[in-house]
Amino acid sequence: MAVLHLTKDSFDDTIKSGTVLVDFWAAWCGPCRMIAPAIEELGEKYEDEVTVAKVNVDEEEGLAARFGVMTIPTVIVFKDGVEAGKRVGVYPMEELEKMLP
Amino acid sequence: MEEIVDIAIIGGGPAGLSGAINAHARNKSVTVFSGNYQESGLYKAEKLDNYLGVPGATGADFLEQCRRQVEAYGIRTVEGRILNIMPMGDIFLISCGSEVYSSRTVILASGIVMLPSYPGEKELLGRGVSYCATCDGMIYRGRRVSVVAKSGEAVHDANFLKQIGCDVTVITDGREISGLSPGIRVIAGKKIEIVGDNKVEALIVDTVAVPCDAVFILRNSIAMSTLLPNVELDNGHIKTEPDMSTSIPGVYAAGDCTGRPYQVAKAVGEGQIAALAAAEYVDNREETN
């Protein structure tokens, strides 16, 4: 499954069941571009088990504030709607992978 | 993203520039990333008496000469602040300001390794503490932010924050600061502490509390633990083998960041060793692929 782009209208429905990895990012953020390929790859590798999604913090300031996103990139893993892991800053794919079940 | 270079050199001092010309001599593509070299300790040194061949030269004379030599070879230099280096498969991704570059190997030659030094800095990193205004500033639009000015780029970053609508206070160590946009407050102070419960709430400058949601600390270099988190350190220096390789394959280090003596002669020598080892690493990779 391709990486989903979430908004405030689709966010809660998307995270409420299963494992969802969300990358909070913005277009002007160099480090976000650095982890983007890893996020895409996780989306492909865990296609059947994990939903991989992105939130543009410029467009969705409310979502960023709700989850205390103060530096980007921030990657949060939700399990059945509950925050189960968070990485702030640039991490290689193997580190992000460790947050998944 | 731009083309992948063979060797990315982080630092434009004697170790980095020595690495650059030696890598160039081995026919490797090189990019040197450095901050404003005129702010380095070497540039400000009055005399450079214990390095052979340049009697009477000041640090500035010497460094200008080195840079001219590198430029004459056509080696690319990029001025900017390196924020992160991340291994990604066979290559390294390097974020410099809002750009991303890539390389096959990296030589760290960034000078004396910085450690997060203010009380609260490490604990609140990513929770309001940031090293890059142009990266994280947008998140704080319309809010109160402080800028700890330890480098010349701080003026640019403070003005950027003001421009995007932040309420900005700049903290200086007492030295005069010019070029700030109107409406930016300036406070001078020596002792800095960052306080907050799980997120930045205020900066304490000497005894004055400056309430804010974010603190941008702008130094000339970023702590290695932030730059390349998994590189092994030894007593605050990057741990290296005799060929200047580090704990991460493809990453080498040279100069002050590997330990004492903090001297030009050692930096130039290590820069050369690192470049030759990195060039060999690139060659071996090509053979196996």
Side-chain angles (χ1 to χ4, degrees):
Chain A
M1 186 166 46
V3 175
L4 300 176
H5 289 264
L6 302 182
T7 66
K8 62 179 188 306
D9 299 325
S10 57
F11 192 87
D12 287 305
D13 254 4
T14 308
I15 67 159
K16 73 181 177 198
S17 63
T19 302
V20 185
L21 179 145
V22 185
D23 169 27
F24 291 81
W25 72 288
W28 39 263
C29 160
C32 296
R33 293 216 300 276
M34 245 163 104
I35 72 160
I39 299 291
E40 300 271 340
E41 209 172 320
L42 286 173
E44 283 169 25
K45 189 168 171 187
Y46 293 92
E47 200 178 349
D48 301 329
E49 304 111 275
V50 177
T51 304
V52 173
K54 290 180 152 221
V55 169
N56 183 326
V57 299
D58 266 348
E59 290 160 9
E60 299 296 338
E61 282 181 54
L63 285 176
R66 183 173 147 198
F67 295 101
V69 173
M70 286 178 276
T71 291
I72 50 174
T74 289
V75 176
I76 303 179
V77 171
F78 297 91
K79 281 187 192 146
D80 298 329
V82 180
E83 190 175 316
K86 188 176 193 175
R87 291 277 186 281
V88 178
V90 170
Y91 286 91
M93 187 173 134
E94 303 79 66
E95 279 296 313
L96 298 174
E97 221 167 358
K98 285 183 195 161
M99 290 199 290
L100 300 175
Chain B
M1 203 148 43
E2 299 195 14
E3 58 159 331
I4 303 168
V5 296
D6 292 325
I7 305 177
I9 298 182
I10 316 302
L17 298 180
S18 163
I21 61 166
N22 281 287
H24 179 76
R26 295 284 161 131
N27 229 359
K28 296 290 168 270
S29 55
V30 184
T31 301
V32 179
F33 297 90
S34 93
N36 179 354
Y37 68 99
Q38 294 177 339
E39 287 193 12
S40 69
L42 175 61
Y43 194 87
K44 292 170 187 155
E46 259 178 59
K47 269 186 192 166
L48 194 68
D49 276 347
N50 66 347
Y51 188 62
L52 268 177
V54 288
T58 64
D61 293 336
F62 176 72
L63 205 46
E64 294 285 3
Q65 179 90 341
C66 295
R67 293 187 69 93
R68 277 198 296 274
Q69 187 177 357
V70 166
E71 279 165 24
Y73 287 131
I75 294 167
R76 184 174 183 212
T77 57
V78 172
E79 188 173 318
R81 183 188 302 262
I82 299 289
L83 299 165
N84 288 107
I85 301 166
M86 186 180 81
M88 174 85 192
D90 275 353
I91 62 168
F92 295 90
L93 298 179
I94 297 149
S95 73
C96 179
S98 58
E99 294 300 319
V100 179
Y101 299 85
S102 54
S103 67
R104 294 183 179 86
T105 62
V106 173
I107 297 177
L108 301 166
S110 49
I112 296 167
V113 174
M114 299 287 304
L115 298 171
S117 57
Y118 298 126
E121 179 178 339
K122 198 175 162 195
E123 295 76 10
L124 293 167
L125 181 60
R127 299 171 186 277
V129 171
S130 168
Y131 300 127
C132 177
T134 47
C135 309
D136 294 330
M138 295 290 260
I139 294 171
Y140 298 95
R141 271 172 295 183
R143 293 158 73 181
R144 288 177 299 193
V145 303
S146 298
V147 173
V148 179
K150 305 297 276 182
S151 105
E153 290 158 55
V155 171
H156 169 267
D157 284 21
N159 290 346
F160 169 80
L161 290 165
K162 181 73 190 166
Q163 190 197 332
I164 61 172
C166 296
D167 180 1
V168 184
T169 303
V170 171
I171 319 302
T172 71
D173 54 9
R175 270 179 296 186
E176 201 167 309
I177 187 163
S178 60
L180 285 175
S181 301
I184 295 179
R185 276 181 303 277
V186 178
I187 295 178
K190 296 274 184 225
K191 202 165 150 261
I192 287 173
E193 185 183 350
I194 302 155
V195 294
D197 183 16
N198 212 24
K199 66 178 172 50
V200 168
E201 285 162 15
L203 190 65
I204 315 285
V205 184
D206 293 334
T207 54
V208 181
V210 183
C212 54
D213 298 313
V215 178
F216 294 93
I217 302 172
L218 302 170
R219 300 190 179 96
N220 283 325
S221 60
I222 284 178
M224 201 49 70
S225 52
T226 307
L227 199 61
L228 186 56
N230 294 329
V231 74
E232 197 177 331
L233 301 180
D234 181 13
N235 250 334
H237 295 114
I238 300 169
K239 196 174 171 192
T240 52
E241 299 301 320
D243 68 350
M244 306 321 294
S245 58
T246 69
S247 59
I248 302 176
V251 178
Y252 300 80
D256 291 355
C257 62
T258 71
R260 289 176 186 279
Y262 302 144
Q263 298 287 332
V264 172
K266 168 184 172 283
V268 167
E270 288 187 354
Q272 184 192 35
I273 298 169
L276 300 185
E280 198 179 324
Y281 182 91
V282 171
D283 290 341
N284 289 342
R285 275 292 164 107
E286 272 171 12
E287 275 171 28
T288 52
N289 283 341

